[in-house]
Amino acid sequence: MSGTDLSAIESELIAEITAAADLAGIEQVRISALGRKGRVPELMGRLGKMPADERKSFGAAVNQLRDRVTTALETRKGALEGEAMAQRLASERADVTLPVRSGPVAEGRIHPISQVFDEIAEIFADMGFAIAEGPDIETDDLNFTKLNIPPEHPARQMHDTFYLKSPERIARGEAPMLLRTHTSPVQVRTMLSQKPPIRIIVPGRVYRMDSDATHTPMFHQIEGLVIDETTHFGHMKWCLEEFCKAFFEVDEVKMRFRASHFPFTEPSAEVDVGAEAIGKPGKWLEILGCGMVHPKVIEMCGLDPEKYQGWAFGMGLDRIAMLKYGIPDLRDMFNADLRWLRHYGFTSLDVPTLAGGMGGMGG
Ligand code: DAH
């Protein structure tokens, strides 16, 4: 068709394509050339108004133009993509010889108390124990009376209890609430709410008015309780021995059961382990109190002492954490000193397992 210089249009488009500096630019050229309102569709639009003979040759010429422009666009686009990729590779290049950056997950540390509790839970879970918990604020009845420590019992003085101000309770003639002095009330809660067989361990915070290098007003205990119709002192000895071997990661552990007294067990014992377990031969370390649950406790917890019997133990979590990991001062455990935590803490990826060992890389 006269008046339309297809080769001029083509050169113009090719020049624009060549000049496109980046992928956004080439896309603009594509739209202005081939898009719905672009130059090529516009040329095609003229076909309808042309006489038939002109239409054929003009149509063929526009088709060829469109093909060449399309090819040029694709070639340029491919080249620009290659350039963009090369630029990205250059700017995002990783120097694999640099040391690994640890990042927040690896920076954080697990507190030795949490670590030691996880280790203990793993060991007792393997022996079929479940985990039970109770509140820090407890009633006098559950912390003392139902554990066979009636009012006026001398053991109450030994517990240096923190009492809560409870004017309403006192007005009603009830004993004030208190901060539990041991995890033993969770024994009571469990027996009151669950039918035997019972096999639980109970981690938790406990509170006593006491403060020096080996005592803090808040510390941690872990309680154990087994109740069924036949379990006996021998089962307890075996369980505690297996526990000590697994916890201290030794094949043999020297243990001695010393006769002791707790109001809620009869007979009662305190358990010492030979300090060779922590690399200090010749010494004994006291780690827990234990005994057969007193029939009166079983009865006060709503179970028939003629039918059910069991055993219990309580140990200081902080104490055995200090023993295992060589931590000298108990108070440091609760000072939230980051330097201390970096030194004694554990990495979160280092989960205790029986197969992989408990200790990980802390201490
Ligand atoms: N509750 C005792 C304490 O805090 C520890 C204890 C001893 C717990 C003997 C027990 C046990 O379950 O049987 O000193």
Side-chain angles (χ1 to χ4, degrees), residues 46-283:
R46 296 188 198 171
L47 288 175
K49 293 179 196 138
M50 281 182 188
D53 55 334
E54 257 182 63
R55 191 187 297 161
K56 196 168 174 214
S57 61
F58 187 80
V62 173
N63 271 336
Q64 281 165 14
L65 177 146
R66 189 193 52 208
D67 290 348
R68 283 191 298 270
V69 167
T70 302
T71 307
L73 274 166
E74 274 164 10
T75 310
R76 181 73 187 133
K77 191 171 173 215
L80 286 170
E81 274 169 353
E83 272 172 39
M85 178 58 85
Q87 240 173 40
R88 236 185 103 187
L89 285 175
S91 68
E92 294 178 9
R93 192 177 56 197
D95 182 349
V96 294
T97 65
L98 284 174
V100 176
R101 234 183 280 143
S102 44
V105 173
E107 283 276 304
R109 284 292 176 275
I110 305 287
H111 195 283
I113 297 292
S114 308
Q115 169 78 15
V116 164
F117 171 63
D118 288 348
E119 295 178 10
I120 296 174
E122 174 80 21
I123 296 166
F124 280 103
D126 198 50
M127 295 196 269
F129 284 69
I131 293 171
E133 286 184 299
D136 291 17
I137 296 175
E138 195 49 283
T139 64
D140 183 279
D141 183 52
L142 295 175
N143 193 78
F144 291 125
T145 311
K146 284 205 166 45
L147 286 163
N148 199 28
I149 314 176
E152 315 309 329
H153 192 288
R156 291 202 175 202
Q157 268 78 60
M158 287 161 56
H159 279 226
D160 304 310
T161 313
F162 287 107
Y163 287 96
L164 276 73
K165 282 201 183 119
S166 321
E168 298 87 355
R169 293 181 69 87
I170 290 163
R172 287 198 300 268
E174 294 165 359
M177 300 290 279
L178 48 82
L179 292 178
R180 66 178 175 192
T181 58
H182 50 180
T183 41
S184 305
V186 186
Q187 287 189 30
V188 179
R189 288 177 172 275
T190 307
M191 283 187 267
L192 285 171
S193 64
Q194 241 170 271
K195 274 193 103 120
I198 291 170
R199 263 184 229 107
I200 53 157
I201 55 166
V202 182
R205 294 171 194 240
V206 301
Y207 305 83
R208 292 184 199 176
M209 256 182 267
D210 217 346
S211 190
D212 60 37
T214 52
H215 297 90
T216 46
M218 185 282 299
F219 58 104
H220 299 83
Q221 285 188 337
I222 186 150
E223 190 87 11
L225 175 70
V226 173
I227 301 279
D228 64 24
E229 294 180 24
T230 55
T231 190
H232 55 69
F233 204 97
H235 295 147
M236 177 174 79
K237 281 188 82 170
W238 182 86
C239 269
L240 293 175
E241 203 173 307
E242 287 304 302
F243 162 72
C244 284
K245 286 196 273 188
F247 181 73
F248 291 110
E249 298 181 58
V250 288
D251 294 331
E252 287 303 322
V253 67
K254 251 174 48 187
M255 287 177 91
R256 70 178 180 195
F257 286 70
R258 268 185 297 108
S260 183
H261 174 77
F262 301 103
F264 35 90
T265 45
E266 180 57 37
S268 306
E270 277 172 306
V271 173
D272 301 335
V273 293
E276 35 277 76
I278 57 159
K280 288 187 187 161
K283 282 175 78 180

Side-chain angles (χ1 to χ4, degrees), residues 307-323:
K307 186 169 177 202
Y308 294 114
Q309 59 190 37
W311 45 272
F313 63 86
M315 65 186 150
L317 204 57
D318 320 80
R319 189 174 159 69
I320 64 164
M322 290 169 76
L323 287 177

